[in-house]
């Protein structure tokens, strides 16, 4: 299995630009999680989906952030407009909830820099 | 106060040493406790998983949970340079939402 796939791996953009991060979960996994990791705040859950439905978006910092999961094999996290304080590593993770364990499998992350 | 507190380190030990990593938490509803390992510029990977109180051993790794003290530990015996990574504790109650500690950076030198 290829694991969780994220793109791009690195993104450098200017303040005010729109940023779209992409994630392909592991085939057969029905839960998907978006996290943000910074030195100061550690790893924070932004939003998660079960069976493509958003369950908890309480971690989404502002209306500038939005996430979609149009089907079981694809999700996006969009920031519009981006700000320098959004600079972080964004991780996507997936998990199989039925018959699975608590194991969330993380992707390699997208390192976002907003200038 | 954060729900989960973890000393950020860094912790630097010689090869072969016993390493102790710890987290404290404030929410007594947490039931499921995990340790993730994260190598530099990689995503976290699950290392140990424990339900409720008690000990769990897997090779050189032992996870301990003391719910009465709201304290969890990870012990690494005979530490190796390949154990050099950031170790994150994580926990949840009866939901899918994991709460992570900020991570402890460990360096094992030969």
């Amino acid at each position: 299995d290829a694991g969780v796939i994220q793109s791009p791996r690195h993104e450098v953009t200017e303040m005010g630009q729109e940023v779209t991060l992409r994630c392909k979960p592991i085939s057969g996994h029905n839960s998907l999680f978006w996290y943000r990791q910074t030195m100061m705040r550690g790893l924070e859950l932004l939003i998660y989906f079960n069976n493509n439905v958003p369950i908890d978006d309480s971690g989404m910092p502002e209306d500038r952030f939005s996430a979609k999961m149009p089907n079981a094999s694809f999700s996006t996290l969009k920031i519009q407009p981006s700000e320098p304080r959004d600079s972080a590593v964004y991780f996507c993770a997936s998990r199989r909830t039925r018959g699975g364990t608590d194991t969330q499998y993380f992707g390699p992350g997208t390192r976002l820099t907003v200038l | 106060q954060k729900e989960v507190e973890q000393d950020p380190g860094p912790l630097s030990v010689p090869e072969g040493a016993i390493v102790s990593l710890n987290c404290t938490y404030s929410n007594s509803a947490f039931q499921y406790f995990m340790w993730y390992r994260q190598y530099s510029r990689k995503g976290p990977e699950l290392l140990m998983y424990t339900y409720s109180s008690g000990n769990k051993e897997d090779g050189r790794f032992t996870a301990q949970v003391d719910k009465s003290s709201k304290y969890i530990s990870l012990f690494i015996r005979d530490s190796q340079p390949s154990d050099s990574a950031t170790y994150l504790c994580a926990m949840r109650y009866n939901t899918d939402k994991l709460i992570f500690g900020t991570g402890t950076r460990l360096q094992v030198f030969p």
Side-chain angles (χ1 to χ4, degrees):
Chain A
D1 200 322
V4 176
I5 298 172
Q6 290 187 248
S7 65
R9 292 294 309 276
H10 301 274
E11 177 83 23
V12 180
T13 190
E14 292 189 347
M15 184 173 65
Q17 295 298 305
E18 178 180 296
V19 174
T20 300
L21 311 181
R22 297 172 177 80
C23 175
K24 178 178 169 53
I26 293 172
S27 177
H29 284 194
N30 59 324
S31 289
L32 185 139
F33 304 80
W34 281 102
Y35 291 90
R36 178 172 68 177
Q37 188 175 41
T38 61
M39 289 291 291
M40 289 299 296
R41 300 175 66 91
L43 195 61
E44 301 174 288
L45 178 67
L46 300 176
I47 185 172
Y48 79 91
F49 298 82
N50 280 348
N51 298 313
N52 312 338
V53 176
I55 301 301
D56 185 342
D57 65 354
S58 59
M60 297 285 262
E62 298 167 38
D63 290 346
R64 298 184 296 108
F65 286 69
S66 62
K68 293 182 180 179
M69 191 163 186
N71 57 61
S73 58
F74 183 67
S75 178
T76 59
L77 178 68
K78 188 175 291 188
I79 309 172
Q80 166 64 18
S82 58
E83 295 183 5
R85 59 193 167 119
D86 301 330
S87 298
V89 181
Y90 290 81
F91 287 102
C92 175
S94 71
R95 172 186 162 211
R96 188 181 68 207
T97 54
R98 183 171 295 178
T101 68
D102 253 306
T103 305
Q104 291 187 20
Y105 294 86
F106 282 76
T110 295
R111 186 171 295 270
L112 174 65
T113 303
V114 183
L115 303 174
Chain B
Q1 184 190 4
K2 288 183 179 177
E3 278 190 288
V4 179
E5 299 277 0
Q6 186 174 7
D7 188 330
L11 188 60
S12 186
V13 301
E15 183 175 353
I18 297 174
V19 175
S20 172
L21 305 167
N22 311 294
C23 285
T24 58
Y25 62 94
S26 56
N27 190 341
S28 58
F30 286 133
Q31 297 178 28
Y32 304 87
F33 304 91
M34 284 139 268
W35 285 95
Y36 278 78
R37 178 174 61 195
Q38 185 176 20
Y39 290 114
S40 181
R41 298 188 176 267
K42 302 283 188 184
E45 55 179 346
L46 183 66
L47 192 60
M48 297 287 284
Y49 170 85
T50 316
Y51 170 67
S52 194
S53 282
N55 290 5
K56 185 172 183 179
E57 190 173 319
D58 184 1
R60 298 184 294 111
F61 299 89
T62 300
Q64 284 186 353
V65 175
D66 181 349
K67 290 191 74 179
S68 62
S69 302
K70 298 192 183 71
Y71 189 87
I72 70 171
S73 301
L74 177 70
F75 297 96
I76 307 174
R77 290 183 299 280
D78 186 25
S79 57
Q80 303 294 309
S82 58
D83 295 327
S84 298
T86 296
Y87 290 80
L88 302 132
C89 63
M91 48 198 78
R92 69 176 181 89
Y93 36 92
N94 214 15
T95 71
D96 291 322
K97 184 174 179 176
L98 280 180
I99 309 298
F100 281 86
T102 49
T104 299
R105 193 155 64 90
L106 171 67
Q107 185 149 14
V108 181
F109 57 90

